[in-house]
Amino acid sequence: MTKQNISSRIVLPGRNDPCWCGSGRKYKVCHAQIDERVEQMRALGHEVPRRDMLKTPEQIEKIKKSCAVNMAVLDEVTAHIREGMTTAEIDRIVRETTKRLGGIPAPLGYEGYPYSVCTSVNDQVCHGFPSEKVVLESGDIVNVDCSTIVDGYFSDSSRMFCIGEVSAEKKKLVEVTRECVQRGLEQVRPWGFMGDMGQAVNDHARANGYSVVREIGGHGVGLEFHEDPWVSYVTKRGTEMLLVPGMIFTIEPMVNMGAPDVCYLEDNDWEVYTEDGSPSAQWEIMVLVTQNGHEVLCW
Ligand code: MF3
Ligand code: CO
């Protein structure tokens, strides 16, 4: 998502009020310690999350239900995607499976997006429109990006698929991009920084001769489709937002085989391509910052 699309919510408890996490305990004996540590870090000049970016245990449970549907939808795509299929067919699978499992495809109608899923092929970076005209051919690499609403809670993840006989070069791009997500994930821990994750992603991409898209990144997610913080993968260790238990965000770098520059298709202002026509890959997961590390919620 681009930075300006992010929205926000605010909740402010008092010290003797029940904790905002829903534990039933007084705030001062529950999350107050975490909040105090956050305030200390703010005083040191660090960017810190607002309290409403920390999900409560109840919210996390609901978000996990949404994630379960999102992953089941991607599993259905995984089972059926094949050479000769159109990307419109993937859209149908996603729409019908999501509905059957009690969810709503989050992309459909989101800021005017006209489909249930994004299908981005080869040099398409993201937000590819499913189409009856796009037939998957041997040698293609395609990202299928699914997002689901269940009971008002949002989930978001994407996977890459190699169709038929894919060149070793493109296969490597797909594999290294998956490794980038893994390297980033390993950096996610409370009281670390978003930039620890960002730099790990970027370092691994660059070590393999690739570049990471700068303009489009990840986001907080759960209560809405796209929440703060905006998540970049071209940042430095020790910088960007402090990671605090209860934060949920996506790791979804777009990695280009060539230059990092991208352009929007003029026809619809949605579909993004690499400017130099080089292939691009992306995997997306949702991660929760826990008390002692992280938990992957959706992949
Ligand atoms: N799923 C994309 C993401 O990872 C967002 C797509 S916006 C849509 O953030 F409208 F195209 F769905
Ligand atoms: Co996302």
Side-chain angles (χ1 to χ4, degrees), residues 81-85 87 120-123 134-143 160-167 170-171 174 279-280:
I81 195 165
R82 59 180 161 73
E83 191 181 334
M85 176 190 250
T87 52
S120 307
V121 185
N122 297 326
D123 64 330
V134 178
V135 180
L136 296 179
E137 288 170 5
S138 184
D140 285 343
I141 58 169
V142 55
N143 172 275
M160 290 298 296
F161 298 95
C162 291
I163 307 299
E165 297 291 312
V166 170
S167 69
K170 281 163 96 178
K171 265 191 198 154
V174 169
S280 183

Side-chain angles (χ1 to χ4, degrees), residues 179-286:
E179 290 165 8
C180 286
V181 172
Q182 185 59 35
R183 299 284 181 109
L185 177 65
E186 284 161 11
Q187 296 297 319
V188 177
R189 65 177 88 79
W191 318 114
F193 296 93
M194 199 62 97
D196 305 348
M197 181 282 296
Q199 176 158 3
V201 167
N202 202 271
D203 284 354
H204 191 60
R206 293 177 66 121
N208 283 279
Y210 304 142
S211 66
V212 179
V213 172
R214 300 160 296 201
E215 297 86 344
I216 312 164
H219 49 92
V221 56
L223 310 184
E224 295 174 50
F225 194 173
H226 296 110
E227 304 170 0
D228 286 336
W230 187 74
V231 179
S232 167
Y233 312 99
V234 293
T235 46
K236 290 288 172 204
R237 163 167 293 284
T239 71
E240 304 291 310
M241 190 174 280
L242 181 73
L243 301 180
V244 176
M247 287 173 74
I248 297 179
F249 58 90
T250 66
I251 303 180
E252 53 172 315
M254 283 142 256
V255 178
N256 297 350
M257 198 181 281
D261 311 271
V262 298
C263 50
Y264 282 82
L265 196 69
E266 274 178 26
D267 294 7
N268 55 44
D269 232 14
W270 270 108
E271 294 178 279
V272 179
Y273 289 80
T274 57
E275 208 164 81
D276 63 8
S278 69
S280 183
Q282 178 183 30
W283 295 81
E284 175 176 19
I285 63 170
M286 268 170 71

Side-chain angles (χ1 to χ4, degrees), residues 110-131:
Y110 175 79
E111 297 195 357
Y113 187 83
Y115 300 97
S116 297
V117 65
C118 301
T119 52
S120 307
V121 185
N122 297 326
D123 64 330
Q124 243 176 354
V125 172
C126 65
H127 305 162
F129 281 7
S131 167

